[in-house]
Amino acid sequence: MDIPNRNAPLGVFDSGVGGLTVVKALRKLLPKESIVYLGDTARVPYGSKSPDTIRQFAMEDTQFLVSKGVKAVVVACNTATAHALPLLEATFRVPVIGVLEPGVEATLEDDQCSRVGVIGTEGTIRSHAYQHMLALRRPDVRIHAISTPLLVPFVEAGWLKHDSLKLVLETYLNPLLDKGIDTLVLGCTHYPLLIPVLRKVLGPSVRLVDSASTCATQVSRRLKEEGLLSTGRRKPSLDLYLTDLSEQAEELARRFLGAETRKIQRARLS
């Protein structure tokens, strides 16, 4: 097996622009790494698609990144991780890292956690991936998972301070609070943008596990283990590709990256 070039870029893909929360966390934790990001905005959302379709899309996304010469691929999509990660790992020679396992590890770092809530897309929750991994490692933990399909549209519309968002969150989360959860796993890379309002709804006693930051930590650890941390002296690059260059998608990409802006290119998948 060929050893990837440690100074090659990281590849990151998501069904849309939500994975840019992972990119932002990676750039903060690994400032020397160049990144190629692919957002499949022409086919978003993945959460409502069948498992076979999700696997097909994930294969095409990964192949695109590999064609760009990346040294590793980060699957910054919970739904794609849940349904396609083993296939991607078996198919491609570069390391492939998903977002689920880092989230599970971070959840169980706290020995005191006993009741865990998980929120995500329909596809992620229906896969039972989080539920299975949590139960396998800590059979004593009670797990309550619900799909929260209205949250992604709120994020993409930029309604992060809208009164109706708080109402929707209360409707979703009050049943989990009634069950006494002490930890909430954010099982979608869009959801870190909701953390300020989530803290207001949940109160100080519920710990939040953010899939973006936990994934970045896992990527850092994996690159170190594989001897793939960049040693390059050039300024790291950030190349952004979307499969649909709508005005909304470009604005969303800039919102997810914060103050940092980049030219966005059109990606054509085979």
Side-chain angles (χ1 to χ4, degrees):
M1 176 176 170
D2 297 332
I3 299 175
N5 175 5
R6 69 190 305 160
N7 292 322
L10 279 173
V12 182
F13 80 82
D14 184 30
S15 60
V17 297
L20 289 173
T21 57
V22 175
V23 170
K24 193 171 182 180
L26 284 168
R27 287 177 67 78
K28 182 177 181 180
L29 188 63
L30 298 168
K32 293 184 178 180
E33 301 292 342
S34 293
I35 296 173
V36 179
Y37 179 81
L38 171 64
D40 193 6
T41 47
R43 303 188 292 194
V44 68
Y46 283 9
S48 58
K49 306 292 194 299
S50 71
D52 283 345
T53 297
I54 294 164
R55 283 188 282 270
Q56 176 191 333
F57 289 176
M59 286 286 289
E60 293 170 358
D61 296 338
T62 304
Q63 183 58 56
F64 175 86
L65 292 172
V66 169
S67 75
K68 298 297 180 184
V70 300
K71 63 183 175 184
V73 172
V74 180
V75 186
C77 172
N78 284 268
T79 303
T81 300
H83 291 289
L85 186 63
L87 174 63
L88 300 179
E89 290 175 323
T91 304
F92 295 96
R93 293 186 173 185
V94 299
V96 183
I97 305 154
V99 288
L100 266 70
E101 187 170 349
V104 169
E105 287 182 2
T107 300
L108 300 181
E109 279 178 1
D110 184 353
D111 295 335
Q112 301 302 312
C113 86
S114 60
R115 296 175 185 266
V116 176
V118 183
I119 57 175
T121 67
E122 293 177 23
T124 298
I125 300 302
R126 193 170 55 241
S127 75
H128 294 276
Y130 272 113
Q131 300 94 305
H132 178 73
M133 292 176 71
L134 286 164
L136 198 63
R137 300 186 188 195
R138 283 277 304 276
D140 59 308
V141 171
R142 293 192 179 185
I143 305 157
H144 307 283
I146 60 169
S147 62
T148 51
L150 293 179
L151 298 186
V152 168
F154 269 96
V155 173
E156 296 202 343
W159 286 19
L160 303 180
K161 297 182 180 180
H162 201 282
D163 291 342
S164 57
L165 171 60
K166 187 170 183 288
L167 180 61
V168 168
L169 284 172
E170 287 172 345
T171 302
Y172 281 142
L173 298 177
N174 281 344
L176 296 181
L177 291 172
D178 289 342
K179 294 180 184 298
I181 64 165
D182 51 59
T183 304
L184 182 68
V185 179
L186 307 185
C188 175
T189 49
H190 278 71
Y191 296 175
L193 273 71
L194 299 172
I195 286 177
V197 66
L198 279 168
R199 293 201 185 281
K200 292 179 181 178
V201 173
L202 294 168
S205 62
V206 177
R207 181 171 61 108
L208 290 177
V209 177
D210 166 7
S211 59
S213 60
T214 58
C215 180
T217 301
Q218 174 73 357
V219 171
S220 176
R221 184 162 62 239
R222 182 75 178 273
L223 292 181
K224 186 175 182 180
E225 290 171 356
E226 302 273 353
L228 291 176
L229 286 172
S230 176
T231 58
R233 295 182 179 180
R234 291 184 178 180
K235 183 178 179 181
S237 60
L238 174 58
D239 296 323
L240 302 179
Y241 292 89
L242 301 179
T243 53
D244 177 30
L245 286 181
S246 69
E247 189 174 314
Q248 181 194 26
E250 293 191 53
E251 172 58 31
L252 277 171
R254 294 185 177 92
R255 187 184 306 151
F256 272 73
L257 282 176
E260 187 173 22
T261 58
R262 285 291 189 279
K263 180 181 177 181
I264 301 173
Q265 303 173 68
R266 171 80 178 274
R268 300 185 184 278
L269 306 183
S270 57

